[in-house]
Amino acid sequence: MNYPGFEPFREGLHDDGLFQEMVRVKLTRSLGTVVEILVDEIKAVLPEIYGENYDEWQTTSVNGSVADVVVRLTSRVYLGSNLCRNPLWVKIGKSYTSDVFIAAKQLRIIPRFLRPLAHWFIPSCRVVRTTVHTAHRLIGPEVQRRRQNAHEALLATGKTPKAADSIAWMHEIAITRGYEVDYVASQLMLTLASTHTTVNATALGLIEACSRPNVLEALRKEIVEVIGRHGWNKATLYKYGPPAHTISSKPPPDD
């Protein structure tokens, strides 16, 4: 995938060691900080997406609204609060995955020897080229700033600041492993890998919970009890309230 617009695939296929070490080592060690950051962002994003008027019914798209939430949360960890709340970046985070697979599918229809020319004229390929160009314009300066901060911290202390910052993690790995990293393509690769799988799982869980009001109320009580007792932190996610023996997992019968 050496065509403009497909750089995230090239970055991921060239050497996946960067992504494996970042997720398995750097992200895992920073889960405590990540949870705090996600809690802060979820408090900001939920009122924006779903509103705060609980006295009236409103209609919303489950997949669309969940996608907004997921992109905001993942981008908060990857890129920080400013960019994760940028509407243009949220749009990229939601659309790039589907756009790039559509473009790849259409490009494969073309005979291989014609693809280097044809990709310039296929509309879906133009879309992903524009998206990657916009991503460079949006996050390029932020990437450079964070990369510089991480580099200065490494020179001064021998390690990067302890923070949930994927740019700093990538920079540290790149230095220690000798990797050449396309930071913008890597960010898009992370978005591509993490967004829609999380959206689908979350949306399905939300629909299942809403279809079982009795279970939903039990879940609410457990969340209130556990968070009230232990607060928001990594260890809290593994705790649970007393079992609700009388709660049925079956959906209520139709009237």
Side-chain angles (χ1 to χ4, degrees):
M1 285 293 183
N2 292 319
Y3 306 122
F6 295 90
E7 291 89 345
F9 285 115
R10 183 184 63 200
E11 192 72 12
L13 293 172
H14 173 67
D15 185 352
D16 64 357
L18 170 70
F19 298 100
Q20 288 191 25
E21 184 169 350
M22 193 192 73
V23 174
R24 181 171 50 85
V25 179
K26 303 298 184 182
L27 178 60
T28 301
R29 291 176 179 174
S30 301
L31 283 178
T33 305
V34 167
V35 169
E36 294 176 5
I37 288 175
L38 293 179
V39 170
D40 180 68
E41 191 60 31
I42 201 74
K43 290 178 180 178
V45 68
L46 289 184
E48 292 182 23
I49 302 300
Y50 297 111
E52 297 182 276
N53 186 354
Y54 305 118
D55 297 325
E56 297 181 5
W57 287 95
Q58 61 179 349
T59 301
T60 187
S61 164
V62 175
N63 269 42
S65 61
V66 170
D68 285 327
V69 174
V70 169
V71 171
R72 282 276 297 267
L73 294 177
T74 55
S75 299
R76 174 66 186 268
V77 175
Y78 297 153
L79 296 167
S81 58
N82 291 332
L83 279 172
C84 84
R85 298 173 185 180
N86 185 305
L88 190 53
W89 173 252
V90 173
K91 181 180 178 181
I92 289 174
K94 292 170 60 177
S95 66
Y96 180 74
T97 300
S98 56
D99 289 344
V100 77
F101 279 107
I102 290 172
K105 182 178 180 180
Q106 294 180 351
L107 191 59
R108 289 193 187 101
I109 298 173
I110 307 298
R112 186 180 295 272
F113 72 95
L114 290 176
R115 292 173 190 172
L117 177 63
H119 81 91
W120 293 108
F121 303 98
I122 298 174
S124 58
C125 291
R126 289 202 298 267
V127 169
V128 294
R129 282 200 303 272
T130 300
T131 297
V132 172
H133 176 76
T134 304
H136 273 275
R137 179 168 54 85
L138 285 174
I139 72 178
E142 182 73 8
V143 167
Q144 185 59 36
R145 183 181 69 82
R146 289 172 176 267
R147 183 181 176 186
Q148 182 63 30
N149 290 344
H151 181 68
E152 291 174 356
L154 277 173
L155 291 178
T157 65
K159 58 183 179 180
T160 56
K162 184 179 180 180
D165 179 348
S166 66
I167 301 300
W169 297 335
M170 287 183 185
H171 186 56
E172 183 176 1
I173 295 169
I175 291 176
T176 56
R177 303 294 184 185
Y179 289 142
E180 290 291 333
V181 179
D182 182 337
Y183 289 87
V184 176
S186 296
Q187 290 298 320
L188 286 171
M189 186 62 192
L190 289 171
T191 299
L192 188 152
S194 63
T195 300
H196 285 274
T197 52
T198 307
V199 169
N200 291 338
T202 304
L204 180 60
L206 183 60
I207 292 171
E208 287 292 316
C210 289
S211 68
R212 294 165 169 79
N214 49 345
V215 174
L216 189 60
E217 184 59 30
L219 289 174
R220 285 196 184 104
K221 290 180 179 178
E222 179 173 321
I223 292 170
V224 170
E225 178 181 344
V226 173
I227 299 301
R229 182 184 302 174
H230 304 285
W232 273 112
N233 57 69
K234 182 178 69 172
T236 302
L237 301 179
Y238 302 98
K239 300 183 183 298
Y240 52 87
H245 299 292
T246 59
I247 296 299
S248 171
S249 61
K250 296 181 180 179
D254 294 333
D255 294 332

